[in-house]
Amino acid sequence: MAAFLQKGSKNILQKQPHDIVFLSALRTPVTRAKKGGFKDAHDHELLAHVLKATLAAHPNLDPHLINDIQIGTVLSELGGHKAGRMAAIHAGVPETVAFQTVNRACSSGLAAITGVAHAIAMGQIDIGIGGGMESMTRNYGSRAIPTQLWEELRDSPVQNARDCVMSMGITAENVAERYGVSRAEQDAFAARSHQKAAKAQREGLFDKEIVEVTTRWHPDAEKPEAAEEITVRKDDGIRPTSSAESLAKMKPAFKPDGTATAGNSSQVSDGAAATLMMRRSTASALGLEKDIIGKWAGTQVIGCKPDEMGIGPALAIPKLLEYTGVSKEEIGIWEINEAFASQAIYCVRTLGIDEDLVNPKGGAIALGHPLGATGARQLATLLPEMERQGKEMGVISMCIGTGMGMASLIVRE
Protein backbone atom coordinates (compact mmCIF):
# COMPACT_ATOMS: atom_id res chain seq x y z
CA MET A 1 0.00 0.00 0.00
CA ALA A 2 1.23 3.47 -0.88
CA ALA A 3 2.49 5.58 2.00
CA PHE A 4 -0.22 8.21 1.53
CA LEU A 5 -3.01 5.68 2.18
CA GLN A 6 -4.01 4.60 5.65
CA LYS A 7 -5.08 1.00 6.31
CA GLY A 8 -7.77 -0.03 8.77
CA SER A 9 -10.83 1.97 9.77
CA LYS A 10 -9.20 3.48 12.86
CA ASN A 11 -6.45 5.03 10.76
CA ILE A 12 -8.69 5.88 7.82
CA LEU A 13 -11.10 7.83 10.02
CA GLN A 14 -8.32 10.01 11.41
CA LYS A 15 -7.74 13.38 9.80
CA GLN A 16 -4.27 13.66 8.29
CA PRO A 17 -2.63 16.55 6.39
CA HIS A 18 -2.09 14.30 3.36
CA ASP A 19 -5.76 13.25 3.09
CA ILE A 20 -7.34 13.72 -0.34
CA VAL A 21 -10.55 15.57 0.46
CA PHE A 22 -13.75 16.61 -1.29
CA LEU A 23 -15.02 20.16 -0.89
CA SER A 24 -18.10 19.78 -3.06
CA ALA A 25 -19.79 17.11 -5.17
CA LEU A 26 -22.45 18.48 -7.48
CA ARG A 27 -24.43 17.14 -10.41
CA THR A 28 -26.99 18.18 -12.94
CA PRO A 29 -30.34 16.44 -12.91
CA VAL A 30 -30.22 13.15 -14.83
CA THR A 31 -32.81 13.05 -17.60
CA ARG A 32 -34.14 10.47 -20.04
CA ALA A 33 -32.29 10.26 -23.32
CA LYS A 34 -34.31 11.46 -26.34
CA LYS A 35 -37.32 12.27 -24.15
CA GLY A 36 -36.15 14.16 -21.08
CA GLY A 37 -35.19 17.70 -20.24
CA PHE A 38 -31.72 17.47 -21.79
CA LYS A 39 -32.68 15.82 -25.06
CA ASP A 40 -31.60 18.95 -26.95
CA ALA A 41 -28.59 19.75 -24.79
CA HIS A 42 -24.94 18.83 -25.32
CA ASP A 43 -22.84 16.83 -22.87
CA HIS A 44 -20.25 19.63 -22.67
CA GLU A 45 -23.07 22.13 -22.10
CA LEU A 46 -24.05 20.18 -19.00
CA LEU A 47 -20.40 20.03 -17.96
CA ALA A 48 -20.08 23.82 -18.26
CA HIS A 49 -23.06 24.27 -15.92
CA VAL A 50 -21.73 21.94 -13.24
CA LEU A 51 -18.20 23.39 -13.44
CA LYS A 52 -19.57 26.93 -13.15
CA ALA A 53 -21.61 25.84 -10.12
CA THR A 54 -18.51 24.24 -8.59
CA LEU A 55 -16.57 27.50 -8.87
CA ALA A 56 -19.53 29.47 -7.51
CA ALA A 57 -19.77 27.14 -4.50
CA HIS A 58 -16.26 28.19 -3.47
CA PRO A 59 -16.01 31.98 -3.86
CA ASN A 60 -12.97 32.10 -1.58
CA LEU A 61 -10.96 29.79 -3.84
CA ASP A 62 -8.94 31.50 -6.55
CA PRO A 63 -9.66 29.31 -9.62
CA HIS A 64 -6.10 29.93 -10.82
CA LEU A 65 -4.99 27.61 -8.01
CA ILE A 66 -6.77 24.65 -9.62
CA ASN A 67 -4.18 22.55 -11.44
CA ASP A 68 -6.11 19.96 -13.42
CA ILE A 69 -9.56 18.73 -14.41
CA GLN A 70 -10.33 15.12 -15.33
CA ILE A 71 -13.75 14.32 -16.80
CA GLY A 72 -15.12 10.87 -17.57
CA THR A 73 -16.99 10.40 -20.83
CA VAL A 74 -17.65 7.34 -22.97
CA LEU A 75 -19.47 8.36 -26.12
CA SER A 76 -18.40 11.94 -26.83
CA GLU A 77 -17.03 12.93 -30.23
CA LEU A 78 -13.19 13.01 -30.26
CA GLY A 79 -13.26 11.58 -26.76
CA GLY A 80 -14.90 14.76 -25.49
CA HIS A 81 -11.56 16.49 -25.00
CA LYS A 82 -11.89 19.56 -27.21
CA ALA A 83 -15.49 20.40 -26.35
CA GLY A 84 -14.81 19.59 -22.70
CA ARG A 85 -11.82 21.93 -22.56
CA MET A 86 -13.90 24.64 -24.25
CA ALA A 87 -16.68 24.11 -21.69
CA ALA A 88 -14.27 24.42 -18.77
CA ILE A 89 -12.88 27.73 -20.02
CA HIS A 90 -16.39 28.94 -20.90
CA ALA A 91 -17.46 28.17 -17.33
CA GLY A 92 -14.76 30.43 -15.90
CA VAL A 93 -11.89 28.01 -15.41
CA PRO A 94 -8.62 29.81 -16.31
CA GLU A 95 -6.74 28.60 -19.37
CA THR A 96 -3.81 27.73 -17.08
CA VAL A 97 -5.84 24.83 -15.65
CA ALA A 98 -5.11 21.60 -17.53
CA PHE A 99 -7.90 19.34 -18.78
CA GLN A 100 -8.32 15.75 -19.90
CA THR A 101 -11.08 13.25 -20.47
CA VAL A 102 -11.10 9.68 -19.18
CA ASN A 103 -12.81 6.61 -20.61
CA ARG A 104 -13.14 3.46 -18.55
CA ALA A 105 -16.67 2.84 -19.80
CA CYS A 106 -19.30 2.87 -17.03
CA SER A 107 -16.75 3.75 -14.34
CA SER A 108 -15.30 6.75 -16.18
CA GLY A 109 -16.54 9.34 -13.68
CA LEU A 110 -15.10 7.40 -10.76
CA ALA A 111 -11.91 6.76 -12.72
CA ALA A 112 -11.55 10.52 -13.27
CA ILE A 113 -12.01 11.21 -9.55
CA THR A 114 -9.47 8.51 -8.75
CA GLY A 115 -7.05 9.99 -11.27
CA VAL A 116 -7.26 13.38 -9.57
CA ALA A 117 -6.83 11.70 -6.18
CA HIS A 118 -3.70 9.92 -7.37
CA ALA A 119 -2.24 13.13 -8.80
CA ILE A 120 -2.81 14.95 -5.51
CA ALA A 121 -1.42 12.05 -3.49
CA MET A 122 1.76 11.92 -5.54
CA GLY A 123 2.33 15.66 -5.34
CA GLN A 124 1.77 16.24 -9.05
CA ILE A 125 -1.05 18.67 -8.27
CA ASP A 126 -2.54 20.34 -5.20
CA ILE A 127 -6.10 21.00 -6.37
CA GLY A 128 -8.19 19.32 -9.04
CA ILE A 129 -11.71 18.65 -10.26
CA GLY A 130 -12.92 15.18 -11.17
CA GLY A 131 -16.24 14.35 -12.77
CA GLY A 132 -18.09 13.12 -15.81
CA MET A 133 -20.45 14.06 -18.63
CA GLU A 134 -22.61 12.18 -21.11
CA SER A 135 -25.31 12.82 -23.67
CA MET A 136 -26.69 9.44 -24.61
CA THR A 137 -29.35 11.28 -26.59
CA ARG A 138 -26.74 12.55 -29.03
CA ASN A 139 -24.07 9.87 -28.94
CA TYR A 140 -25.65 6.46 -28.36
CA GLY A 141 -26.41 5.70 -31.99
CA SER A 142 -24.17 2.65 -32.15
CA ARG A 143 -25.38 1.40 -28.74
CA ALA A 144 -21.75 1.76 -27.59
CA ILE A 145 -20.63 -0.94 -30.03
CA PRO A 146 -17.63 -0.08 -32.25
CA THR A 147 -18.60 0.67 -35.84
CA GLN A 148 -15.01 0.21 -37.05
CA LEU A 149 -13.30 -2.95 -35.87
CA TRP A 150 -10.30 -4.91 -37.08
CA GLU A 151 -11.64 -8.06 -38.76
CA GLU A 152 -9.23 -10.29 -36.88
CA LEU A 153 -10.73 -9.10 -33.60
CA ARG A 154 -14.30 -9.51 -34.78
CA ASP A 155 -13.52 -13.14 -35.68
CA SER A 156 -10.97 -13.73 -32.92
CA PRO A 157 -10.47 -17.35 -31.84
CA VAL A 158 -10.41 -16.01 -28.26
CA GLN A 159 -13.99 -16.07 -27.00
CA ASN A 160 -13.41 -13.43 -24.32
CA ALA A 161 -12.08 -11.05 -26.95
CA ARG A 162 -15.19 -11.47 -29.12
CA ASP A 163 -17.42 -11.09 -26.08
CA CYS A 164 -16.10 -7.57 -25.41
CA VAL A 165 -18.62 -6.31 -27.97
CA MET A 166 -21.49 -8.43 -26.69
CA SER A 167 -24.68 -6.51 -25.99
CA MET A 168 -24.78 -5.43 -22.35
CA GLY A 169 -28.33 -6.76 -22.19
CA ILE A 170 -27.15 -10.24 -23.11
CA THR A 171 -24.51 -10.10 -20.37
CA ALA A 172 -27.33 -9.32 -17.95
CA GLU A 173 -29.25 -12.33 -19.21
CA ASN A 174 -26.13 -14.46 -18.71
CA VAL A 175 -25.85 -13.37 -15.09
CA ALA A 176 -29.53 -14.11 -14.46
CA GLU A 177 -29.27 -17.57 -16.02
CA ARG A 178 -25.95 -18.61 -14.54
CA TYR A 179 -26.61 -17.42 -11.02
CA GLY A 180 -30.33 -18.03 -10.67
CA VAL A 181 -31.80 -14.52 -10.55
CA SER A 182 -35.48 -14.73 -11.46
CA ARG A 183 -37.60 -12.27 -13.42
CA ALA A 184 -39.79 -11.68 -10.36
CA GLU A 185 -36.75 -10.80 -8.25
CA GLN A 186 -35.51 -8.38 -10.89
CA ASP A 187 -38.86 -6.64 -11.19
CA ALA A 188 -39.20 -6.33 -7.42
CA PHE A 189 -35.69 -4.88 -7.14
CA ALA A 190 -36.40 -2.37 -9.92
CA ALA A 191 -39.68 -1.29 -8.32
CA ARG A 192 -37.88 -0.66 -5.02
CA SER A 193 -35.33 1.50 -6.81
CA HIS A 194 -38.10 3.70 -8.22
CA GLN A 195 -39.93 3.81 -4.90
CA LYS A 196 -36.81 4.84 -2.97
CA ALA A 197 -35.92 7.49 -5.55
CA ALA A 198 -39.48 8.84 -5.64
CA LYS A 199 -39.55 9.13 -1.85
CA ALA A 200 -36.16 10.86 -1.81
CA GLN A 201 -37.29 13.28 -4.52
CA ARG A 202 -40.53 14.10 -2.69
CA GLU A 203 -38.58 14.80 0.50
CA GLY A 204 -36.07 17.01 -1.29
CA LEU A 205 -33.13 14.73 -0.56
CA PHE A 206 -31.57 15.32 -3.98
CA ASP A 207 -31.81 19.10 -3.82
CA LYS A 208 -28.45 19.62 -2.13
CA GLU A 209 -26.54 17.75 -4.83
CA ILE A 210 -28.37 19.03 -7.92
CA VAL A 211 -27.46 22.10 -9.98
CA GLU A 212 -30.36 23.40 -12.04
CA VAL A 213 -29.73 23.88 -15.76
CA THR A 214 -31.43 26.28 -18.13
CA THR A 215 -31.29 24.95 -21.69
CA ARG A 216 -33.15 24.67 -25.00
CA TRP A 217 -36.11 22.41 -25.57
CA HIS A 218 -37.65 21.57 -28.93
CA PRO A 219 -41.25 20.39 -28.45
CA ASP A 220 -41.41 19.33 -32.10
CA ALA A 221 -38.29 17.82 -33.66
CA GLU A 222 -39.60 18.75 -37.10
CA LYS A 223 -39.78 22.42 -36.13
CA PRO A 224 -36.38 23.26 -34.63
CA GLU A 225 -37.11 26.96 -34.91
CA ALA A 226 -39.81 26.53 -32.23
CA ALA A 227 -37.31 26.11 -29.42
CA GLU A 228 -38.27 26.98 -25.86
CA GLU A 229 -36.08 27.81 -22.88
CA ILE A 230 -36.63 25.51 -19.93
CA THR A 231 -34.98 25.09 -16.53
CA VAL A 232 -34.40 21.49 -15.46
CA ARG A 233 -34.30 21.05 -11.70
CA LYS A 234 -35.10 17.39 -11.09
CA ASP A 235 -34.30 13.91 -12.37
CA ASP A 236 -37.09 13.00 -14.77
CA GLY A 237 -36.76 9.23 -15.11
CA ILE A 238 -38.20 8.33 -11.72
CA ARG A 239 -41.57 6.56 -11.92
CA PRO A 240 -43.34 6.92 -8.54
CA THR A 241 -46.10 4.48 -9.44
CA SER A 242 -43.77 1.72 -10.58
CA SER A 243 -44.50 -1.66 -8.99
CA ALA A 244 -43.36 -5.23 -9.40
CA GLU A 245 -46.77 -6.00 -10.88
CA SER A 246 -46.57 -3.28 -13.52
CA LEU A 247 -42.98 -4.16 -14.40
CA ALA A 248 -43.95 -7.81 -14.80
CA LYS A 249 -46.06 -6.82 -17.82
CA MET A 250 -43.06 -5.58 -19.80
CA LYS A 251 -41.60 -7.71 -22.58
CA PRO A 252 -38.00 -8.96 -22.51
CA ALA A 253 -35.73 -6.42 -24.19
CA PHE A 254 -32.75 -8.51 -25.28
CA LYS A 255 -33.92 -12.05 -26.06
CA PRO A 256 -37.42 -13.50 -26.57
CA ASP A 257 -37.31 -15.75 -23.52
CA GLY A 258 -35.18 -13.43 -21.40
CA THR A 259 -35.82 -11.76 -18.06
CA ALA A 260 -34.13 -8.37 -18.56
CA THR A 261 -36.55 -5.64 -19.64
CA ALA A 262 -36.43 -1.89 -20.14
CA GLY A 263 -38.08 -1.66 -16.73
CA ASN A 264 -35.52 -3.63 -14.73
CA SER A 265 -32.47 -2.22 -16.53
CA SER A 266 -30.76 1.14 -16.10
CA GLN A 267 -32.13 4.03 -18.10
CA VAL A 268 -30.32 5.57 -21.07
CA SER A 269 -29.66 9.08 -19.80
CA ASP A 270 -28.03 12.50 -20.05
CA GLY A 271 -26.19 14.30 -17.24
CA ALA A 272 -22.95 15.63 -15.75
CA ALA A 273 -21.27 15.84 -12.34
CA ALA A 274 -18.11 17.28 -10.78
CA THR A 275 -16.27 17.28 -7.46
CA LEU A 276 -13.63 19.69 -6.16
CA MET A 277 -10.68 17.90 -4.56
CA MET A 278 -7.48 18.90 -2.80
CA ARG A 279 -5.03 17.84 -0.13
CA ARG A 280 -6.27 18.54 3.41
CA SER A 281 -3.17 20.61 4.14
CA THR A 282 -3.94 22.72 1.06
CA ALA A 283 -7.50 23.30 2.26
CA SER A 284 -6.18 24.34 5.67
CA ALA A 285 -3.63 26.73 4.17
CA LEU A 286 -6.34 28.36 2.06
CA GLY A 287 -8.80 28.66 4.94
CA LEU A 288 -11.17 26.18 3.30
CA GLU A 289 -11.09 23.41 5.90
CA LYS A 290 -14.67 24.13 6.95
CA ASP A 291 -15.77 23.30 3.39
CA ILE A 292 -14.46 19.72 3.52
CA ILE A 293 -17.32 17.22 3.17
CA GLY A 294 -15.47 13.93 2.81
CA LYS A 295 -12.34 12.19 1.64
CA TRP A 296 -11.23 9.59 -0.87
CA ALA A 297 -9.68 6.57 0.85
CA GLY A 298 -8.76 4.27 -2.03
CA THR A 299 -9.89 2.66 -5.28
CA GLN A 300 -9.49 -0.79 -6.76
CA VAL A 301 -10.26 -2.24 -10.20
CA ILE A 302 -10.41 -5.82 -11.42
CA GLY A 303 -11.26 -7.70 -14.61
CA CYS A 304 -13.78 -10.49 -15.18
CA LYS A 305 -15.31 -12.42 -18.09
CA PRO A 306 -16.77 -9.93 -20.59
CA ASP A 307 -19.92 -12.01 -21.09
CA GLU A 308 -20.86 -11.56 -17.43
CA MET A 309 -19.44 -8.10 -16.88
CA GLY A 310 -22.19 -7.33 -14.34
CA ILE A 311 -20.50 -9.33 -11.60
CA GLY A 312 -17.69 -6.76 -11.48
CA PRO A 313 -18.67 -5.16 -8.13
CA ALA A 314 -18.76 -8.58 -6.45
CA LEU A 315 -15.06 -8.86 -7.32
CA ALA A 316 -13.92 -5.25 -6.95
CA ILE A 317 -15.47 -4.63 -3.54
CA PRO A 318 -13.69 -7.47 -1.71
CA LYS A 319 -10.44 -6.32 -3.32
CA LEU A 320 -11.09 -2.77 -2.07
CA LEU A 321 -11.92 -3.93 1.45
CA GLU A 322 -8.78 -6.05 1.62
CA TYR A 323 -6.70 -3.17 0.23
CA THR A 324 -8.01 -0.68 2.78
CA GLY A 325 -8.28 -3.09 5.72
CA VAL A 326 -11.96 -2.29 6.25
CA SER A 327 -14.68 -4.89 6.86
CA LYS A 328 -18.02 -4.87 5.06
CA GLU A 329 -19.76 -4.47 8.43
CA GLU A 330 -18.10 -1.06 8.80
CA ILE A 331 -19.62 0.30 5.59
CA GLY A 332 -22.70 2.41 6.26
CA ILE A 333 -23.95 2.93 2.69
CA TRP A 334 -23.25 1.09 -0.55
CA GLU A 335 -23.72 2.93 -3.85
CA ILE A 336 -23.69 0.03 -6.33
CA ASN A 337 -24.65 1.03 -9.84
CA GLU A 338 -27.79 -0.69 -11.07
CA ALA A 339 -26.78 -1.38 -14.65
CA PHE A 340 -29.28 -4.25 -14.58
CA ALA A 341 -31.33 -5.66 -11.75
CA SER A 342 -29.93 -9.15 -12.37
CA GLN A 343 -26.32 -8.14 -11.78
CA ALA A 344 -27.12 -5.81 -8.88
CA ILE A 345 -29.02 -8.58 -7.10
CA TYR A 346 -26.22 -11.05 -7.75
CA CYS A 347 -23.60 -8.67 -6.35
CA VAL A 348 -25.59 -7.85 -3.21
CA ARG A 349 -26.20 -11.55 -2.55
CA THR A 350 -22.64 -12.63 -3.25
CA LEU A 351 -21.20 -9.88 -1.05
CA GLY A 352 -23.62 -10.75 1.74
CA ILE A 353 -24.60 -7.16 2.40
CA ASP A 354 -27.89 -5.77 3.66
CA GLU A 355 -29.96 -4.57 0.71
CA ASP A 356 -31.42 -1.83 2.92
CA LEU A 357 -27.96 -0.22 2.91
CA VAL A 358 -27.69 -0.32 -0.89
CA ASN A 359 -28.70 2.76 -2.89
CA PRO A 360 -31.00 4.20 -0.19
CA LYS A 361 -32.14 6.97 -2.56
CA GLY A 362 -32.55 4.61 -5.50
CA GLY A 363 -30.09 3.72 -8.23
CA ALA A 364 -29.60 3.83 -11.98
CA ILE A 365 -32.79 1.89 -12.72
CA ALA A 366 -34.72 4.89 -11.40
CA LEU A 367 -32.23 7.75 -11.72
CA GLY A 368 -30.55 6.79 -14.98
CA HIS A 369 -27.04 5.86 -16.08
CA PRO A 370 -25.30 8.61 -18.10
CA LEU A 371 -22.27 6.40 -18.68
CA GLY A 372 -19.33 8.75 -18.19
CA ALA A 373 -20.99 10.72 -15.40
CA THR A 374 -22.39 7.91 -13.27
CA GLY A 375 -19.45 7.44 -10.88
CA ALA A 376 -19.35 11.16 -10.11
CA ARG A 377 -23.15 11.21 -9.80
CA GLN A 378 -22.93 8.40 -7.25
CA LEU A 379 -20.48 10.43 -5.17
CA ALA A 380 -22.75 13.48 -5.28
CA THR A 381 -25.62 11.28 -4.08
CA LEU A 382 -23.62 9.37 -1.47
CA LEU A 383 -22.01 12.19 0.51
CA PRO A 384 -25.23 14.04 1.51
CA GLU A 385 -26.86 10.74 2.43
CA MET A 386 -23.90 9.75 4.62
CA GLU A 387 -24.25 13.10 6.38
CA ARG A 388 -28.01 12.68 6.77
CA GLN A 389 -27.69 9.18 8.19
CA GLY A 390 -24.55 9.89 10.21
CA LYS A 391 -22.56 7.14 8.47
CA GLU A 392 -18.78 7.33 8.48
CA MET A 393 -17.83 5.22 5.47
CA GLY A 394 -19.43 4.38 2.15
CA VAL A 395 -18.49 2.49 -1.00
CA ILE A 396 -19.12 3.39 -4.64
CA SER A 397 -18.93 0.53 -7.13
CA MET A 398 -20.04 -0.42 -10.60
CA CYS A 399 -19.68 -3.05 -13.28
CA ILE A 400 -17.90 -2.04 -16.45
CA GLY A 401 -18.60 -3.00 -20.04
CA THR A 402 -16.04 -5.43 -21.53
CA GLY A 403 -15.75 -7.14 -18.13
CA MET A 404 -14.45 -5.18 -15.14
CA GLY A 405 -15.44 -3.85 -11.77
CA MET A 406 -14.36 -0.74 -9.86
CA ALA A 407 -14.88 0.31 -6.26
CA SER A 408 -13.86 3.29 -4.10
CA LEU A 409 -13.97 3.87 -0.35
CA ILE A 410 -15.39 7.24 0.68
CA VAL A 411 -15.22 8.75 4.18
CA ARG A 412 -17.58 11.41 5.51
CA GLU A 413 -15.99 14.39 7.19
Side-chain angles (χ1 to χ4, degrees):
M1 171 170 284
F4 59 83
L5 284 177
Q6 301 294 314
K7 189 162 185 175
S9 58
K10 182 179 179 181
N11 293 323
I12 287 172
L13 292 173
Q14 292 179 359
K15 297 178 182 179
Q16 301 289 349
H18 57 254
D19 288 341
I20 296 96
V21 297
F22 304 114
L23 277 72
S24 63
L26 301 173
R27 68 178 181 92
T28 68
V30 176
T31 69
R32 297 174 297 163
K34 299 187 181 298
K35 298 178 181 179
F38 295 146
K39 72 178 182 68
D40 297 308
H42 296 268
D43 50 6
H44 42 278
E45 175 186 351
L46 303 180
L47 175 64
H49 279 280
V50 80
L51 289 178
K52 186 175 183 179
T54 298
L55 297 180
H58 304 283
N60 296 323
L61 173 65
D62 179 354
H64 289 86
L65 297 177
I66 301 169
N67 305 115
D68 196 15
I69 297 174
Q70 296 192 29
I71 297 297
T73 188
V74 179
L75 306 171
S76 297
E77 182 185 19
L78 301 179
H81 171 78
K82 288 191 174 181
R85 166 78 165 152
M86 292 170 70
I89 295 172
H90 178 76
V93 174
E95 75 280 358
T96 53
V97 180
F99 181 93
Q100 75 169 32
T101 53
V102 177
N103 185 350
R104 197 197 284 270
C106 307
S107 70
S108 297
L110 189 59
I113 290 167
T114 298
V116 173
H118 287 169
I120 294 171
M122 298 308 297
Q124 178 183 339
I125 67 173
D126 296 315
I127 303 173
I129 295 174
M133 64 176 181
E134 206 74 72
S135 171
M136 298 185 77
T137 293
R138 291 184 179 271
N139 301 318
Y140 197 50
S142 73
R143 312 295 290 183
I145 302 296
T147 58
Q148 300 181 49
L149 195 62
W150 180 31
E151 294 81 0
E152 192 166 326
L153 278 186
R154 193 181 302 279
D155 302 320
S156 174
V158 182
Q159 182 69 46
N160 282 337
R162 296 200 307 275
D163 288 346
C164 284
V165 293
M166 177 180 286
S167 159
M168 294 296 96
I170 296 301
T171 73
E173 294 287 6
N174 289 343
V175 171
E177 292 172 12
R178 292 173 189 175
Y179 303 108
V181 183
S182 71
R183 168 69 187 269
E185 289 170 323
Q186 293 174 59
D187 290 341
F189 182 93
R192 286 193 296 273
S193 183
H194 280 285
Q195 291 158 7
K196 289 186 290 185
K199 182 175 185 292
Q201 191 174 68
R202 284 196 306 271
E203 295 176 358
L205 301 187
F206 294 119
D207 295 352
K208 188 174 182 179
E209 66 199 62
I210 287 181
V211 173
E212 66 179 41
V213 175
T214 298
T215 186
R216 301 162 311 287
W217 168 268
H218 298 287
D220 187 342
E222 296 182 1
K223 298 179 180 179
E225 70 281 359
E228 301 174 3
E229 185 176 88
I230 64 168
T231 298
V232 184
R233 298 181 174 87
K234 294 184 177 182
D235 306 313
D236 66 17
I238 302 169
R239 296 189 292 273
T241 60
S242 186
S243 67
E245 292 73 23
S246 62
L247 291 172
K249 298 175 183 177
M250 300 187 74
K251 295 180 179 180
F254 306 104
K255 52 190 295 189
D257 59 346
T259 59
T261 71
N264 60 35
S265 304
S266 60
Q267 298 183 39
V268 178
S269 311
D270 307 326
T275 181
L276 177 66
M277 304 169 66
M278 62 184 71
R279 196 175 298 106
R280 185 183 294 277
S281 59
T282 303
S284 298
L286 295 174
L288 299 173
E289 198 161 15
K290 61 179 175 52
D291 294 337
I292 297 173
I293 57 175
K295 75 176 181 180
W296 172 88
T299 295
Q300 288 289 287
V301 292
I302 193 169
C304 63
K305 288 173 65 66
D307 75 342
E308 56 178 26
M309 65 91 205
I311 72 170
L315 303 175
I317 288 173
K319 188 177 180 183
L320 173 72
L321 297 179
E322 194 279 331
Y323 176 67
T324 56
V326 173
S327 70
K328 66 182 180 183
E329 289 77 18
E330 294 176 293
I331 303 302
I333 298 176
W334 304 85
E335 274 287 333
I336 300 177
N337 191 44
E338 300 167 355
F340 300 92
S342 63
Q343 57 82 210
I345 293 168
Y346 168 80
C347 290
V348 170
R349 283 181 181 172
T350 300
L351 293 165
I353 57 181
D354 184 350
E355 190 182 324
D356 289 341
L357 304 180
V358 178
N359 304 341
K361 294 191 288 191
I365 289 173
L367 300 174
H369 180 20
L371 303 176
T374 287
R377 192 284 301 165
Q378 288 176 287
L379 179 67
T381 300
L382 173 64
L383 283 168
E385 187 64 12
M386 290 175 68
E387 179 184 27
R388 190 177 75 87
Q389 292 193 28
K391 303 296 185 182
E392 293 182 312
M393 292 188 288
V395 165
I396 297 171
S397 187
M398 68 283 291
C399 58
I400 304 170
T402 72
M404 286 177 277
M406 190 173 202
S408 293
L409 179 64
I410 306 299
V411 179
R412 178 178 66 89
E413 186 69 5

